[in-house]
């Protein structure tokens, strides 16, 4: 089966997997540490509205989904911190409303949506050149942002009020981060699909957390575990002819269990 | 005495509910001001307004100069799994310097090390903060408040978790620092009112100020402040004058 490593489509998939692992490793570590997994789930599903709109307008759904994702991310944060609506209720509203908009637009679009399943379950093997460029730009942006503001991000996540007393631009950094979370989610929808994307941002991090309690190490380990899961998932997907999204998640859970068991034995 | 901070007619609270009303208070350079009062009386609310964490309904806080503030928040249950070490937490007190991306200098690390020793945290430096006990965490947060060499130190219940033995050490550290800086401390604890404190503000929705001259006056037999002021051991204790309520 190793001859597939020479096929261009597979090399593309591996590059995509590497970029996605880096983005998810960094952003996911922030999501897990800050405990905003549920917000991230809300953003994921809200962005489906953008995918529907993209179909309706006949443009790349990833572009419209990015706009929907960022607007709902900022919306969830703004509504829950400035009004009396509870945060989890706000998330629930955005979550369902985005899905509803998506379904409405898809039904209003003449003909049928040919690769709708791609957005629900993802397919790393059919990723387009445009999506790869988008992912590359995002990955570079995320690396630069976290490299420059690493301390601020960690310290704000740990104690926001204290950071405010130190004159840190807490709101600006928080809103930028939640927008980055949204963009990272949307670009990964193309790879593992709406239903599974949250796992790319949480399972490698959970595995890393078993081994370290240092934020920087957690990021690096998450990237490594994410990449191994992606390649493992790709091979399983190719071998058994099943959707790559599902096999990637399957291998990441296997890695989680192996590390967990290994750690228990070592103790 | 030089005023560094003037609190003018502050009314504040949460969700339209007023917690503190018409607060006026001056803070002087090298003051050691204790804010005391019952739970829910508005001590922390006033601190949050001073720190700019809570926007008051009315009134203003007038800082005479731009101050570097060190803040010890009230300890709440922190995330046990948060990936941040004791050392990192202490160094996070240097955020206000706002040099983006700067590595901590060897001088910073040295200063952190001094604080770690002063607060007996040598054995915990690389542990995640979440794994420490309440008293240890509070000591870490005290180091974080002090590492920037603040001109104003604001402490919310600094002794609520610190064990009694360390409590005396803590007040000696504060007394030493007070020679150069101003300290505002909130407490509902009885042991706090020691001879170190220069002025006291009692707060229970409204504020009553007891200045230093009054504090050094003779002791009364009855405790008339709404807060218990009994101290233990050999620490001297004080009694404040009764509040004069308008219209009472």
């Amino acid at each position: 089966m190793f001859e597939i490593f020479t096929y261009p489509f597979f090399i593309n998939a591996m590059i995509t997997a590497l970029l996605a692992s880096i983005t998810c490793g960094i952003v996911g570590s922030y999501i897990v540490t800050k405990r905003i997994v549920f917000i991230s789930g809300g953003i994921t599903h809200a962005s489906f509205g953008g995918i529907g709109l993209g179909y309706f307008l006949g443009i790349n759904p990833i572009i419209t989904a990015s706009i929907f994702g960022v607007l709902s991310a900022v919306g969830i944060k703004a509504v829950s911190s400035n009004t009396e609506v509870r945060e989890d209720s706000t998330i629930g509203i955005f979550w369902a409303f985005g899905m509803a908009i998506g379904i409405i637009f898809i039904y209003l679009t003449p003909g049928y949506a040919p690769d709708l399943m791609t957005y629900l379950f993802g397919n790393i093997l059919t990723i387009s050149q445009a999506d790869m460029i988008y992912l590359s730009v995002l990955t570079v942006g995320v690396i630069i942002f976290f490299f420059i503001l690493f301390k601020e991000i960690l310290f704000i996540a740990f104690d926001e009020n204290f950071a405010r007393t130190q004159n840190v631009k807490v709101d600006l950094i928080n809103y930028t981060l939640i927008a980055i979370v949204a963009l990272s989610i949307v670009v990964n929808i193309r790879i593992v699909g709406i239903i599974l994307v949250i796992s790319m941002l949480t399972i490698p991090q959970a595995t890393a957390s078993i081994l370290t309690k240092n934020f920087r190490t957690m990021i690096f380990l998450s990237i490594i575990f994410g990449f191994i899961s992606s390649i493992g998932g790709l091979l399983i997907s190719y071998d058994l002819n099943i959707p790559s999204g599902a096999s990637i998640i399957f291998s990441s859970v296997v890695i989680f269990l192996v590390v967990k068991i290994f750690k228990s034995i070592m103790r | 005495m030089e005023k560094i901070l003037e609190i003018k007619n502050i009314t504040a609270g949460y969700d339209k509910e007023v917690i503190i009303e018409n607060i006026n208070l001056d803070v002087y350079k090298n003051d050691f001001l204790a804010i005391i009062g019952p739970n829910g009386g508005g001590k922390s609310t006033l601190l949050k307004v001073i720190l700019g964490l809570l926007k008051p309904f009315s009134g203003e806080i007038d800082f005479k100069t731009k101050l570097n503030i060190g803040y010890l928040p009230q300890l709440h249950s922190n995330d046990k799994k948060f990936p941040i070490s004791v050392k990192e937490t202490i160094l996070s007190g240097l955020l206000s310097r706002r040099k983006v991306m700067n590595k901590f200098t060897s001088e910073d690390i040295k200063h952190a090390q001094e604080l770690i020793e002063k607060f007996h945290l040598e054995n915990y430096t690389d542990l995640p903060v979440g794994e420490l006990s309440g008293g240890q965490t509070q000591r870490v947060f005290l180091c974080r408040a002090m590492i920037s060499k603040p001109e104003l130190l604001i402490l919310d219940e600094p002794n609520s978790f610190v064990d009694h033995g360390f409590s005396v050490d803590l007040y000696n550290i504060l007394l030493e620092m007070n020679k150069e800086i101003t300290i505002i401390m909130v407490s509902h604890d009885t042991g706090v009112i020691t001879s170190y404190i220069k002025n006291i503000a009692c707060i229970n929705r409204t504020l009553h100020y007891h200045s230093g001259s009054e504090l050094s006056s003779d002791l009364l037999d009855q405790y008339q402040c709404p807060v218990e002021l009994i101290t233990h051991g050999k620490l001297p204790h004080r009694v404040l004058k009764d509040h004069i309520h308008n219209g009472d």
Side-chain angles (χ1 to χ4, degrees):
Chain A
M1 73 190 284
F2 290 100
E3 81 281 357
I4 63 162
F5 282 103
T6 58
Y7 297 162
F9 78 91
F10 197 80
I11 291 166
N12 268 356
M14 288 212 302
I15 295 168
T16 307
L18 180 64
L19 294 173
S21 302
I22 294 170
T23 312
C24 291
I26 299 171
V27 175
S29 295
Y30 172 74
I31 291 174
V32 168
T33 301
K34 187 85 195 291
R35 302 194 174 219
I36 53 167
V37 174
F38 190 51
I39 296 184
S40 309
I43 295 168
T44 309
H45 289 79
S47 63
F48 186 68
I51 288 171
L53 183 65
Y55 272 110
F56 185 72
L57 298 176
I59 53 178
N60 186 347
I62 291 295
I63 294 168
T64 39
S66 298
I67 297 166
F68 258 66
V70 171
L71 288 181
S72 48
V74 172
I76 289 169
K77 245 189 110 45
V79 170
S80 55
S81 46
N82 299 320
T83 70
E84 282 160 21
V85 187
R86 292 186 190 91
E87 187 179 81
D88 55 347
S89 308
T90 312
I91 295 166
I93 294 166
F94 275 89
W95 183 308
F97 188 63
M99 290 300 284
I101 300 255
I103 293 164
I104 291 169
F105 275 125
I106 283 170
Y107 273 82
L108 288 177
T109 307
Y112 89 117
D115 47 22
L116 183 62
M117 286 294 272
T118 304
Y119 293 99
L120 290 177
F121 298 110
N123 193 345
I124 194 170
L125 295 167
T126 60
I127 195 149
S128 70
Q129 190 104 45
D131 291 340
M132 270 183 78
I133 292 168
Y134 179 101
L135 178 60
S136 312
V137 171
L138 182 73
T139 307
V140 172
V142 167
I143 291 171
I144 292 172
F145 187 78
F146 273 76
F147 187 72
I148 293 177
L149 291 170
F150 183 82
K151 291 189 181 88
E152 281 79 359
I153 292 165
L154 178 65
F155 297 158
I156 291 172
F158 179 63
D159 190 342
E160 196 172 300
N161 270 348
F162 182 81
R164 278 184 210 279
T165 67
Q166 302 298 300
N167 301 314
V168 178
K169 299 221 178 307
V170 172
D171 289 325
L172 181 66
I173 292 177
N174 274 345
Y175 275 107
T176 311
L177 276 168
I178 200 75
I180 286 176
V181 167
L183 293 175
S184 309
I185 287 171
V186 170
V187 75
N188 281 292
I189 285 176
R190 203 46 200 79
I191 299 167
V192 288
I194 283 189
I195 298 163
L196 302 178
V197 73
I198 202 71
S199 55
M200 289 278 283
L201 296 153
T202 50
I203 300 172
Q205 287 71 16
T207 313
S209 299
I210 298 171
L211 301 174
T212 182
K213 283 184 174 145
N214 176 291
F215 190 52
R216 204 181 297 266
T217 315
M218 183 177 168
I219 288 175
F220 283 118
L221 288 178
S222 304
I223 293 171
I224 292 167
F225 289 135
F227 188 62
I228 298 173
S229 319
S230 305
I231 300 302
L234 264 172
L235 292 174
I236 297 171
S237 150
Y238 178 78
D239 209 38
L240 300 179
N241 196 21
I242 52 171
S244 58
S247 58
I248 289 171
I249 305 312
F250 180 80
S251 23
S252 68
V253 174
V254 169
I255 292 172
F256 173 83
L257 290 173
V258 167
V259 172
K260 186 89 185 157
I261 291 164
F262 178 74
K263 178 83 181 183
S264 317
I265 292 169
M266 294 305 282
R267 196 168 285 165
Chain B
M1 269 195 291
E2 190 190 332
K3 256 186 229 177
I4 57 162
L5 168 62
E6 220 173 307
I7 296 164
K8 297 176 186 163
N9 266 318
I10 291 286
T11 296
Y14 305 95
D15 295 333
K16 297 187 182 103
E17 191 199 339
V18 172
I19 306 281
I20 51 173
E21 202 175 358
N22 285 324
I23 305 292
N24 287 287
L25 179 65
D26 295 337
V27 182
Y28 299 92
K29 196 163 195 271
N30 292 95
D31 202 348
F32 198 139
L33 173 72
I35 300 175
I36 58 177
N39 281 329
K43 301 183 297 279
S44 296
T45 308
L46 178 59
L47 283 197
K48 283 192 180 135
V49 174
I50 296 173
L51 288 162
L53 297 174
L54 180 68
K55 209 169 135 31
F57 300 145
S58 63
E60 67 165 318
I61 304 283
D62 182 10
F63 282 97
K64 299 299 174 191
T65 52
K66 200 176 176 313
L67 291 178
N68 176 12
I69 299 177
Y71 170 49
L72 172 78
Q74 213 176 97
L75 211 60
H76 43 83
S77 61
N78 61 340
D79 185 346
K80 292 218 178 309
K81 296 228 185 255
F82 198 97
I84 188 168
S85 72
V86 166
K87 202 173 198 169
E88 283 175 309
T89 308
I90 293 172
L91 288 166
S92 77
L94 294 169
L95 265 185
S96 61
R97 290 188 308 194
R98 308 194 61 183
K99 289 182 200 156
V100 168
M101 259 188 68
N102 68 333
K103 291 250 180 221
F104 295 122
T105 62
S106 54
E107 205 175 311
D108 295 336
I109 307 284
K110 203 173 139 234
H111 188 202
Q113 201 54 45
E114 284 164 14
L115 284 168
I116 284 166
E117 282 163 28
K118 223 183 220 179
F119 284 87
H120 312 310
L121 292 164
E122 297 92 330
N123 297 332
Y124 313 108
T125 45
D126 294 322
L127 282 184
V129 171
E131 289 183 5
L132 303 188
S133 72
Q136 291 163 341
T137 309
Q138 200 152 33
R139 270 143 57 193
V140 173
F141 285 4
L142 278 162
C143 294
R144 180 180 68 170
M146 292 173 180
I147 194 167
S148 63
K149 299 183 175 149
E151 292 141 303
L152 172 62
L153 193 56
I154 296 184
L155 310 171
D156 199 347
E157 308 272 7
N159 50 346
S160 52
F161 286 91
V162 169
D163 57 83
H164 200 71
F166 187 74
S167 203
V168 177
D169 283 0
L170 172 61
Y171 288 115
N172 285 329
I173 293 169
L174 291 179
L175 185 64
E176 184 61 32
M177 291 181 80
N178 190 219
K179 288 176 185 160
E180 284 161 32
I181 69 168
T182 311
I183 300 175
I184 301 178
M185 182 167 78
V186 150
S187 183
H188 68 251
D189 192 291
T190 54
V192 177
I193 311 305
T194 70
S195 52
Y196 311 145
I197 283 157
K198 294 174 180 158
N199 296 297
I200 295 180
C202 289
I203 189 162
N204 190 6
R205 191 177 172 108
T206 54
L207 184 141
H208 296 274
Y209 190 73
H210 303 273
S211 73
S213 57
E214 178 195 330
L215 297 175
S216 57
S217 68
D218 52 348
L219 302 171
L220 299 173
D221 289 333
Q222 285 184 319
Y223 296 115
Q224 290 163 326
C225 199
V227 184
E228 261 191 311
L229 295 175
I230 306 161
T231 60
H232 304 282
K234 287 178 185 159
L235 297 169
H237 72 257
R238 292 161 157 185
V239 175
L240 308 176
K241 278 185 197 162
D242 199 5
H243 296 154
I244 301 154
H245 290 276
N246 299 333
D248 269 9

